[in-house]
Amino acid sequence: MTDVASPSTVTFWLPGRTEAPPETPVVLAGRQPDVGLRLQATRSADVCVRELRGGVFEVVFRTLGEPLGFTVTIPATDAAAWWRPGSTVPHATIPPSWEEPSDATALRGLPIGALLATHDVARLVYAVDAGTSVTRVRAGLVEETADFAIMVTVGASGTSDHVRLLLDASGRSFVEAVPEAGRWLQGEEGHRAAPGAEDPVLCTWYFAHQHVTAATVLAQADRAVAMGFGTVIIDDGWQTNSHERGYGSCGDWEAAEEKFPDAAGLVEALRGRGLRTVWWVGTPFLGHQAKARHLGLSTLRDRPELQAEVLDPRDPSTRAYLVGRMEEIIARTAADGLKLDFLEEFEDQEAPGSVAAAVDTMSEIVDRLRGLGTEPLIEFREPYVHPAVGRFASMIRVGDCPLNAVQNRVGILDLRLARPGTPIHSDPIMWAEGDSPERVAHHLINALLGVPQISMDLVGLPGEQSEALAFWLGVWREYRDLLLHGRLAPERPDLLYPVARVHDGGRHLVARYAPHTIKIPEGDWTELLVANADDSPPILLHEGDEVRAGLEIWDARGRQVADGDVVLGRGPSVLTVPSGGLARLRRPTTAVAEAKWGHA
């Protein structure tokens, strides 16, 4: 066994600190060669270390309700970037150790990260399970030693008397190490499965905003069914006649009769066409114009710029009111679920226990909805993706990024890696009226490895845009199991994933977002799809023996432009796939190949 912990305390400069923190070394014993991994903590006498596999350690700290601090360091050999999950998080930087820390709570962020080395190797992956306690992380390069340090402080206001830490210095690939850390962090209850959580969604927000009406929704229904949508999210606006974009109407959660005279009838009509219905709820808000404002409900703070106050989930009567309203929406309309928005607003550092109370409130809401005899669809979105609260969601969505295909892609892939097994939805995809079908296809390909949400007026789409949407939704439906449940392997997170792969057995799909070469899979693959979201044609690199395959190519509108055979020899070859198009290569079985081409 190799001791990979230094007997000395790690010290380095931090702003405003003139001496090292009172931390002592924790001994890690490993079967791997010494990679310089060191850990020190404030409560080293109350530490249990277990090696899960070579170079992967689980460390359990008993905190007994007290704050905890620990520091992890490793030499930054071959370091390329510091990765953390999130659609708005920088991916291509190595911050200095003195950079400002960031906080993760049960309602904001994920305490997981990876120091990436060259060739997409994970030099070090860490994950922290601290329940609902605030986890403050400062991570960066120590200038004096060229070590990378992760400094973590866990507050004492949470619900657990212990903190778990995972350290992976095994040197595995990023796409192996990060999902394993994500599964460790989630535990057995990663998410709550519900029917329809993996169906494409039509969301009303970007194309209707608060002008949404029952007639608007119903007008989309037949076209949505024909295109393969399974769910309609009726977003903000169903509860108000205002079009001011504020949240002054939130809190009563009653349908505006002028716009939705028969909400239950609308849900029934959509269900009759095969569509589920989800109502949007600005969960924590008590609007300035809400009738419920006169009920004496407890609030955490006022948000005048949002025209609303924030409810205090710690107050039993306030929580009972909120839970009751959520139950009433579903009971009254027979809808399939709720989009619970803005949960991060429940977090208030001036109100100890607000985060834990919000988590308990989500648990109560789901339990009450289940009591109605259904497994409800519940959508959460970034930033409240932490397992402590995320286990109540049936699907998690990328944060708002209208018309930003790259941010949608990064968010989907990050969350797929950090929350494996959870249905990850795109932010509703929108585009401009004059966009080309190729541009529409690019948006859809960027969301191909998640569950697509769309927010466009389907009946008003120009013909070419409609063709592109129908084609790519058709591709997604045909290959849904591969796309969502195959083995995901996005490349170069430090470059925002210019290429992303997924495979299941002999079936492979490669989504290409930049002018990067695509390597042909090794082994006896049977089907290879190439989705091209770049304006240049893909270059395939083949390193094995000669391969013969059938080849089909479609453009962004789904028009077939090639149907024949192709021979892939050693080396690079250009595959002429139009921008926004798709290529499909199929290798026949050995018997069929011999009959068609003879012995290779």
Side-chain angles (χ1 to χ4, degrees), residues 458-519:
L458 302 181
V459 297
L461 284 180
E464 292 185 353
Q465 292 185 1
S466 185
E467 289 172 354
L469 175 58
F471 172 65
W472 278 105
L473 284 179
V475 172
W476 188 90
R477 292 197 312 274
E478 182 178 354
Y479 290 94
R480 179 198 326 234
D481 287 344
L482 171 64
L483 293 167
L484 299 185
H485 303 292
R487 184 175 179 181
L488 181 66
E491 300 176 5
R492 298 300 302 272
D494 55 315
L495 297 181
L496 304 182
Y497 307 116
V499 175
R501 299 172 175 271
V502 64
H503 69 91
D504 181 13
R507 297 193 307 160
H508 295 251
L509 180 139
V510 180
R512 176 181 182 265
Y513 306 107
H516 283 226
T517 300
I518 295 173
K519 187 176 180 180

Side-chain angles (χ1 to χ4, degrees), residues 207-219:
F207 78 85
H209 291 99
Q210 288 182 326
H211 295 272
V212 64
T213 66
T216 302
V217 174
L218 203 54

Side-chain angles (χ1 to χ4, degrees), residues 144-165:
E144 294 85 349
T145 61
D147 287 334
F148 193 85
I150 304 170
M151 297 150 277
V152 178
T153 303
V154 178
S157 59
T159 57
S160 178
D161 63 355
H162 67 275
V163 173
R164 298 190 308 145
L165 167 67

Side-chain angles (χ1 to χ4, degrees), residues 163 186 205 211 267 275 284 298-299 446 462 466 477 496 516 597:
V163 173
Q186 290 176 181
W205 179 242
H211 295 272
V267 171
L275 293 169
S298 179
T299 60
N446 272 273
S466 185
R477 292 197 312 274
L496 304 182
H516 283 226
W597 291 306

Side-chain angles (χ1 to χ4, degrees), residues 413-443:
L413 294 174
D414 276 4
L415 290 172
R416 283 281 307 269
L417 292 167
R419 289 202 50 110
T422 303
I424 303 300
H425 287 230
S426 69
D427 182 54
I429 297 168
M430 62 169 289
W431 52 84
E433 182 178 353
D435 272 335
S436 67
E438 288 77 19
R439 181 60 179 157
V440 173
H442 288 186
H443 280 288

